[in-house]
């Protein structure tokens, strides 16, 4: 896969998955730009401080990229903004919290995708990759949380299901401009979770292990590259077989 010095925005590139996505893009001759609220403004290093939930911050960041590079070839919506009470059990989730999380997580994908897709439309090329989840595809298996301190946020499934179908809408809307929109739904990614949760998860998933960031990143790069030039509107589960059973 050769990204041919394409300029690729990666939101939330400072996180566990984001870092590996950026590394893989670089490995395949792409130029990743990390848009993250934790970043410094340093385009030479490929970083821009950006609040992806704020339209003004997004507009300013896109302007900087266009001023410097004159193009945007790819966008990876990977950022994961959420409220402090995100992990509360359903019974303890307020209406306001549920609504706010849907707004900041699902709406931010639209807020940044809309202006970037218009740029790609004018270029007659481009690729958007949205990071969703298996829990946007199937219901939660709560048995994997037994005897653990891990909880599955109720808003998460609603958000990720929305991301998957938004990806399809964008694919249908922009396809005639040679602009593609696809989605990746990872299974559980290992991040030093509760030992019982990891054990339960391994026992359930057909491949008997949790995923790792380097399981996901090459698929992102593939969907950004010309190797996938006739693939759009798809959701690819990278889940060790979780959604097959």
């Amino acid at each position: 896969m050769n990204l041919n010095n394409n300029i690729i925005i990666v939101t939330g590139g400072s996180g566990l998955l984001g870092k590996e996505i950026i590394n893989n893009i670089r490995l395949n001759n792409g130029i990743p730009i990390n848009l993250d609220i934790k970043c410094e403004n340093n385009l030479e290093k490929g970083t821009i401080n950006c609040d992806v939930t704020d339209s003004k911050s997004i507009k300013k960041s896109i302007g900087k990229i266009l001023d410097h590079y004159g193009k945007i070839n790819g966008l990876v919506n990977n950022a994961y903004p959420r409220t402090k009470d995100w992990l509360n059990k359903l019974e303890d989730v307020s209406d306001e919290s549920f609504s706010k999380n849907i707004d900041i997580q699902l709406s931010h994908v639209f807020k940044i995708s809309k202006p970037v897709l218009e740029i790609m439309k004018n270029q007659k090329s481009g690729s958007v990759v949205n990071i969703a989840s298996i829990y946007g595809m199937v219901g939660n298996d709560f048995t994997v949380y037994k005897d653990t301190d891990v909880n599955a946020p109720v808003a998460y499934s609603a958000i990720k299901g929305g991301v998957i179908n938004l990806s399809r809408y964008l694919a249908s809307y922009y396809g005639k401009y040679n602009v593609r929109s696809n989605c990746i739904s990872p299974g559980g990614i290992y991040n030093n979770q509760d030992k019982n949760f990891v054990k339960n998860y391994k026992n359930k998933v057909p491949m008997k292990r949790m995923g790792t960031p380097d399981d996901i990143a090459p698929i992102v790069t593939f969907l950004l590259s010309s190797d996938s030039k006739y693939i759009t509107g798809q959701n690819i589960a990278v889940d060790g077989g979780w959604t097959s059973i």
Side-chain angles (χ1 to χ4, degrees), residues 148-168:
T148 78
D149 60 4
V150 182
N151 184 44
V154 60
Y156 187 77
S157 294
I159 292 160
K160 294 305 187 180
V163 168
I164 291 170
N165 233 31
L166 176 60
S167 301
R168 295 180 179 130

Side-chain angles (χ1 to χ4, degrees), residues 35-135:
L35 265 60
D36 198 303
I37 201 165
K38 300 176 182 178
C39 281
E40 61 177 345
N41 285 311
N42 191 332
L43 263 177
E44 296 302 321
K45 292 183 178 180
T47 61
I48 294 179
N49 181 274
C50 179
D51 179 355
V52 296
T53 68
D54 181 77
S55 297
K56 290 182 180 178
S57 184
I58 290 169
K59 182 179 180 180
K60 187 176 180 181
S61 299
I62 290 173
K64 288 178 180 179
I65 295 169
L66 289 178
D67 287 345
H68 192 82
Y69 291 106
K71 63 179 182 177
I72 297 173
N73 305 106
L75 167 64
V76 182
N77 282 309
N78 169 71
Y80 187 29
R82 53 207 183 274
T83 60
K84 291 181 179 179
D85 62 351
W86 174 244
L87 293 175
N88 282 5
K89 291 184 177 181
L90 186 150
E91 294 85 351
D92 301 321
V93 175
S94 67
D95 295 348
E96 292 77 16
S97 175
F98 185 86
S99 297
K100 185 171 183 179
N101 277 293
I102 288 189
D103 183 40
I104 62 176
Q105 291 195 48
L106 182 55
S107 295
H108 96 262
V109 174
F110 176 77
K111 286 178 183 179
I112 190 167
S113 295
K114 182 181 176 183
V116 170
L117 282 162
E118 284 301 300
I119 292 165
M120 292 175 175
K121 172 183 171 181
N122 292 329
Q123 293 172 169
K124 301 294 185 185
S125 67
S127 176
V128 174
V129 180
N130 294 318
I131 304 299
S133 167
I134 54 172
Y135 280 158

